[in-house]
Amino acid sequence: MPDLAGKVGLVTGCASGIGAATVRRFVADGARVLGTDLDAARGAALCEALGARFAQQDVADRARWPQVVAQAVEAFGRLDILVNNAGMVSQAGIGDLDDEAMFAAWDKVLAVNLTGTMAGCRAAIAAMRANPGGAKGAIVNIASTTAIAPLPTDVGYSASKAAVRALSKSVATWCAKQGLAIRCNTVIPGATHTGILDAAEVQMPGLIAAVAATSPLNRLADPSETAAAIAFLASDDCPFMTGAEMLVDGAALSIHPGF
Ligand SMILES: NC(=O)c1ccc[n+]([C@@H]2O[C@H](COP(=O)([O-])OP(=O)(O)OC[C@H]3O[C@@H](n4cnc5c(N)ncnc54)[C@H](O)[C@@H]3O)[C@@H](O)[C@H]2O)c1
């Protein structure tokens, strides 16, 4: 089990699903955590119950990022881990909407999933460089198997998650070239039983069973399974892992589509 004792982590999208499971896992592993979410009521209640701090944040608001990072540093004295987990879907294929609605949906999902992740990396790196004892940290960005096998029904989500993979590698290699002990890796979840899928099921009945069947395990991931991979990459267990990706997809992308 990864040891996060003494580490300080910031987890976005903490009110639900993978973010909530990550806060739970980090606290269990000994970390002190600041969770953030758009949803202040749910986020604050969850963090309070788990012994974590909470700050309301829209990850797409770039001015808010340095404030949130400063809040973690003020509370705990340093920042060791950032998990860029907050995300949303747009549920629009390339020709599904009129121009006004399509570009609004595209701009929104890119702002949250991609620009929010980039802004988080920037703010976290600034804080991690200033850590007592020298620059050190781990960033974990959350992509999606739709970055590899995109959804025809959601061009913005798929494209934003594909871009997160390249963003993570660029951040990882920039930090390495700068001589900073700040790693950046990506977790690529497959279908995971969270609010995002429950909401999509309402729009597309039968979706949950269909995506569960894409894994040869024939089930969805539990968010705690994704959180376990995040905790490993956030820990110091493998300092040589940076610019890497971990698939947590129940082998959904490992099987020939005919089987
Ligand atoms: N559930 C899946 O099957 C699945 C698969 C692949 C990737 N993912 C990714 O995992 C991450 C977590 O998703 P989840 O499944 O736990 O979804 P979820 O809907 O259960 O949780 C997402 C959380 O992010 C918050 N959020 C949304 N927009 C925000 C914003 N602008 N600023 C701050 N917080 C915001 C929501 O309030 C919510 O609490 C997302 O990046 C998602 O794309 C999920």
Side-chain angles (χ1 to χ4, degrees):
M1 178 181 276
D3 183 8
L4 301 180
K7 293 202 179 291
V8 175
L10 198 166
V11 179
T12 69
C14 72
S16 171
I18 293 168
T22 301
V23 175
R24 187 172 288 110
R25 174 67 191 242
F26 278 17
V27 170
D29 285 359
R32 289 165 294 164
V33 179
L34 176 70
T36 79
D37 205 287
L38 258 186
D39 185 338
R42 281 180 78 193
L46 183 117
C47 286
E48 193 183 336
L50 293 176
R53 303 245 184 155
F54 175 77
Q56 204 269 344
Q57 178 189 25
D58 177 353
V59 295
D61 176 359
R62 77 176 202 229
R64 182 80 179 114
W65 265 108
Q67 298 168 355
V68 167
V69 165
Q71 203 167 324
V73 174
E74 273 159 32
F76 303 123
R78 56 186 297 117
L79 181 69
D80 299 294
I81 302 161
L82 169 66
V83 183
N84 277 310
N85 164 77
M88 60 173 294
V89 294
S90 66
Q91 305 217 357
I94 189 68
D96 288 346
L97 303 173
D98 63 33
D99 271 0
E100 196 174 333
M102 187 69 212
F103 283 98
W106 172 269
D107 288 347
K108 174 87 178 149
V109 76
L110 268 285
V112 173
N113 294 0
L114 181 58
T115 309
T117 299
M118 184 275 277
C121 291
R122 264 178 78 77
I125 289 167
M128 289 168 177
R129 289 180 94 147
N131 270 338
K136 193 166 188 302
I139 298 170
V140 184
N141 293 329
I142 309 303
S144 161
T145 48
T146 63
I148 299 166
L151 296 167
T153 51
D154 201 329
V155 64
Y157 182 74
S158 306
S160 70
K161 292 298 186 177
V164 165
R165 297 177 68 199
L167 166 68
S168 296
K169 289 171 188 285
S170 181
V171 169
T173 52
W174 185 85
C175 290
K177 289 259 182 203
Q178 295 284 319
L180 302 171
I182 298 172
R183 299 179 298 113
C184 183
N185 293 293
T186 304
V187 167
I188 303 181
T192 311
H193 203 170
T194 69
I196 221 168
L197 260 191
D198 285 335
E201 170 82 16
V202 174
Q203 308 253 318
M204 290 179 272
L207 178 82
I208 286 182
V211 293
T214 63
S215 162
L217 298 176
N218 199 26
R219 67 170 176 89
L220 302 177
D222 185 85
S224 64
E225 297 175 290
T226 319
I230 296 168
F232 168 72
L233 291 171
S235 78
D236 292 334
D237 280 10
C238 188
F240 203 55
M241 271 184 94
T242 189
E245 300 181 324
M246 283 179 77
L247 265 175
V248 187
D249 74 334
L253 294 186
S254 300
I255 189 164
H256 189 285
F259 287 82

